[in-house]
Amino acid sequence: MLLDIIGPAIVGPSSSHTAGMARLGRAFRSLFARTPTEVGFVLNSPLYATFRGHGTDRALIGGIMGIKESDPQLRDSFRIAKEKGIYFTFEEEDMGDLHPNTVRINGSTGELFLSMTGASIGGGSIRITSINDFDTDVSGKYPSFVILNSDVPGALSQIVGEISSSDMNISNLFLSRVDPFRREALCVVELDNEPDESLLSAIKRLHVVKKVSYLERLDSSI
């Protein structure tokens, strides 16, 4: 509650344009499970108009390398990224009715690729609105499994059953699909507590599960 009132500890001039953007970058890195070697940031037009002056660019670059919003290294993120051989670009796009502080992050390493869209909504808080082609609604305030599963009867009950059998409590659950003929769905499960590796392995073994990503609790890393 105190964080919601006074905002997070940050390096930079703005919780929305710096802290929130660093968290979006860290969310991407957590889901991708690595630092991308190539990354493109597509910024909504209102955000693009001020992103350099507010340190949004440094925050996003730092975030995808796992640098926290309170870390002084955030100021040197461009230099650190170049030393690591990370290629990055910034582009503008009019995203219509989406939140003004929306950014789409497209990152790759070799043949691996991830696209994530999210917004910094104030006070350092974020909202992830899509992962690849799937709409979603993720805050980063809870440790979360992001599960690509077969869109077949009983798939969700298998996933929830595996989590429940591990004595983990589900905070929120979000299910999305792009096209019923594609037979794939994205299930986001937010948990009260950090899961252990055995639960992650058990979910991966379910025959209805195609891929599992893990999103760390971002608020605990200030």
Side-chain angles (χ1 to χ4, degrees):
M1 181 65 70
L2 184 61
L3 176 63
D4 293 335
I5 297 172
I6 65 174
I10 64 169
V11 174
S14 167
S15 59
S16 294
H17 293 87
T18 309
M21 292 300 161
R23 280 186 181 166
L24 284 169
R26 288 201 292 120
F28 181 93
R29 187 181 189 278
S30 181
L31 290 171
F32 201 46
R34 58 186 53 80
T35 298
T37 55
E38 295 187 18
V39 59
F41 301 97
V42 183
L43 280 60
N44 199 4
S45 293
L47 180 63
Y48 189 86
T50 60
F51 80 100
R52 289 189 177 89
H54 286 169
T56 299
D57 47 1
R58 295 190 300 274
L60 285 167
I61 290 292
I64 61 105
M65 294 187 293
I67 299 175
K68 300 173 186 176
E69 48 271 32
S70 58
D71 191 330
Q73 288 190 99
L74 206 63
R75 298 189 181 96
D76 298 319
S77 60
F78 273 27
R79 175 184 58 79
I80 297 170
K82 290 175 181 177
E83 289 175 353
K84 291 179 178 289
I86 300 171
Y87 175 76
F88 54 88
T89 60
F90 291 89
E91 299 177 32
E92 178 184 6
E93 180 180 313
D94 183 350
M95 298 183 180
D97 294 333
L98 294 183
H99 192 285
N101 293 336
T102 295
V103 57
R104 183 167 63 252
I105 307 174
N106 300 318
S108 63
T109 297
E111 295 182 355
L112 300 175
F113 174 82
L114 176 67
S115 180
M116 186 197 87
T117 301
S120 176
I121 59 176
S125 296
I126 65 168
R127 185 68 58 185
I128 299 170
T129 55
S130 73
I131 298 171
N132 289 331
D133 297 333
F134 296 92
D135 291 336
T136 189
D137 185 11
V138 184
S139 67
K141 294 181 178 180
Y142 303 92
S144 305
F145 289 127
V146 178
I147 304 166
L148 180 66
N149 60 273
S150 299
D151 188 15
V152 296
L156 184 59
S157 64
Q158 288 187 46
I159 294 168
V160 171
E162 193 65 55
I163 294 170
S164 298
S165 67
S166 298
D167 201 28
M168 297 291 295
N169 193 49
I170 295 174
S171 301
N172 299 292
L173 189 147
F174 187 92
L175 191 65
S176 173
R177 63 181 182 179
V178 177
D179 184 336
F181 296 103
R182 184 165 155 179
R183 307 296 288 175
E184 287 182 337
L186 190 75
C187 179
V188 179
V189 185
E190 296 183 328
L191 305 169
D192 281 346
N193 301 301
E194 299 284 347
D196 57 30
E197 286 293 329
S198 63
L199 177 56
L200 179 61
S201 298
I203 292 174
K204 287 180 177 179
R205 288 195 297 268
L206 294 174
H207 75 276
V208 296
V209 170
K210 297 185 175 184
K211 183 179 180 181
V212 184
S213 299
Y214 178 66
L215 178 63
E216 65 185 17
R217 188 201 307 264
L218 300 174
D219 278 5
S220 66
S221 305
I222 299 169

